[in-house]
C-alpha cells in the first residue's frame, strides 16, 4: 500500500496533463482540416497562427500550474505524450508517410518548450518558498 501512493502521485498528474494536451489540440486544431487557397494560387494551412498560439498559451498555463505544484516531470512527460498522440492521430491519414516528420517535430518541440517552462517555474517557485519567512500560526 505504501508504494501505491507515490506512484499515483507521479502518474495521475502525467495522465491529466496528457488529457489536457489532447483536449487542447482538439479544441484549437482538431476541427480545422481545410487548406486555404490564396488569390495567387498558393496554399496555406490547415491551421491559422491564432490557433497555434491559442494551443501554446493553453498548454503553457497547464504546464506552469503543474510545475508550480511540484509536478515538473508530469508536466513535461504528460504534455509531450498528449501532443504527440494528438498529432499522430490527426495527421496519420497522410499516405506519403511524411506526417511522421511533423509528429517527431511536435514531440521534440513540446518536450523542449515544456521542459524550459517547467524549469523556470520550478526555480521561481523554489526561490519564493525559500525567501518566504516562516510565520507561526
Amino acid at each position: 500500500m505504501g508504494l501505491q501512493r507515490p506512484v499515483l502521485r507521479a502518474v495521475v498528474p502525467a495522465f491529466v496533463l496528457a488529457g489536457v494536451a489532447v483536449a487542447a489540440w482538439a479544441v484549437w486544431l482538431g476541427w480545422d482540416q481545410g487548406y486555404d487557397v490564396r488569390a495567387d494560387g498558393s496554399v496555406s494551412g490547415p491551421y491559422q497562427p491564432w490557433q497555434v498560439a491559442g494551443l501554446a498559451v493553453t498548454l503553457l498555463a497547464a504546464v506552469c500550474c503543474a510545475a508550480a505544484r511540484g509536478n515538473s516531470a508530469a508536466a513535461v512527460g504528460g504534455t509531450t505524450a498528449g501532443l504527440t498522440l494528438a498529432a499522430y492521430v490527426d495527421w496519420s491519414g497522410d499516405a506519403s508517410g511524411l506526417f511522421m516528420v511533423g509528429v517527431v517535430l511536435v514531440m521534440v518541440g513540446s518536450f523542449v518548450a515544456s521542459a524550459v517552462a517547467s524549469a523556470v517555474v520550478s526555480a521561481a517557485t523554489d526561490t519564493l518558498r525559500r525567501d518566504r519567512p516562516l510565520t507561526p500560526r
Side-chain angles (χ1 to χ4, degrees):
M1 179 80 177
L3 179 63
Q4 290 175 342
R5 279 211 151 131
V7 169
L8 286 177
R9 284 187 181 155
V11 171
V12 169
F15 276 106
V16 168
L17 265 292
V20 167
V22 169
W25 181 285
V27 167
W28 288 105
L29 305 180
W31 55 271
D32 192 359
Q33 301 298 318
Y35 287 86
D36 300 323
V37 179
R38 296 187 185 115
D40 65 356
S42 63
V43 178
S44 69
Y47 313 122
Q48 299 299 317
W50 63 267
Q51 291 173 280
V52 177
L55 175 65
V57 169
T58 302
L59 293 177
L60 180 63
V63 166
C64 290
C65 286
R69 293 177 175 264
N71 293 320
S72 291
V76 174
T79 302
T80 301
L83 276 183
T84 303
L85 175 66
Y88 179 83
V89 170
D90 195 16
W91 298 340
S92 62
D94 177 28
S96 72
L98 288 176
F99 76 95
M100 280 306 295
V101 173
V103 171
V104 170
L105 289 173
V106 166
M107 181 179 65
V108 171
S110 61
F111 177 81
V112 170
S114 59
V116 168
S118 287
V120 169
V121 170
S122 291
T125 305
D126 290 345
T127 301
L128 289 173
R129 287 185 184 141
R130 196 172 42 246
D131 292 343
R132 184 180 305 150
L134 296 176
T135 56
R137 292 187 182 235

